[in-house]
Amino acid sequence: MMHIYFVSLGCDKNLVDSEKMLALLTKEGYELTDEPEQAEIIVVNTCAFIHDAKQESIETLLELAEYKKTGKCKVLIASGCLAERYQDTILEEMPEIAGVIGTTAYDDIAVVVKKALGGEHAALTKELDYLPVHLTDRVTSGMSHVGYLKISEGCNKNCTYCIIPYARGQIRSRTPESVLKQAQSLVDHGFVEIV
């Protein structure tokens, strides 16, 4: 059984995406670990909102890449906004990274992990107007009584300082039925406050 160490940087939307990716990977038989030195697979869900966030994402990726030398890490995967926005640059300038998955492709995280484990430098992004499958299954990693419920994706504001429309696309909303199903799932899992 292979172990996965997961880091989620940035906003609560990234945290929800991370929790969904974790659920998909555990369904595939991977086991989570809190110890990066024990993980064969390390995934960093990156942020690129402002310069400092980009820098933190890059530093985290480079720091965790060291476990390819000192730990059991076989593959390092970058996901999230930095991966979406700078996919080609990451693959060219950071050979330590075996896979890149964009913000709208996280529902295919297991595909990227399998390709990377097979020795392929895997990159998977989808059109920014794609709305990922909204799974009710999540491996929650935050406070035990608060669950985040993501009802939309993207932004239409196009502020000069913000990359969200370029990393997450224009705004698109989930169906009311899928939101209610997710909310019920969070309640069923013991969350008393849904944000």
Side-chain angles (χ1 to χ4, degrees), residues 2-3 36-41 67-75:
M2 298 192 99
H3 293 83
E37 64 276 1
Q38 296 302 315
E40 291 89 0
I41 303 153
Y67 289 105
K68 291 181 91 173
K69 299 174 192 166
T70 62
K72 296 180 178 181
C73 183
K74 295 179 183 347
V75 296

Side-chain angles (χ1 to χ4, degrees), residues 111-125:
V111 173
V112 172
V113 168
K114 285 178 187 174
K115 285 182 177 183
L117 285 169
E120 185 179 334
H121 268 65
L124 182 59
T125 58

Side-chain angles (χ1 to χ4, degrees), residues 148-194:
Y148 291 101
L149 179 63
K150 189 160 68 164
I151 61 172
S152 67
E153 188 64 77
C155 181
N156 290 346
K157 298 236 188 249
N158 294 313
C159 301
T160 56
Y161 62 86
C162 181
I163 68 136
I164 290 175
Y166 306 102
R168 291 192 173 267
Q170 295 296 300
I171 196 149
R172 53 230 185 267
S173 297
R174 295 173 56 187
T175 64
E177 297 80 20
S178 74
V179 172
L180 288 171
K181 187 175 181 182
Q182 180 76 68
Q184 186 61 55
S185 176
L186 290 169
V187 169
D188 291 346
H189 284 91
F191 292 100
V192 294
E193 185 176 345
I194 299 174

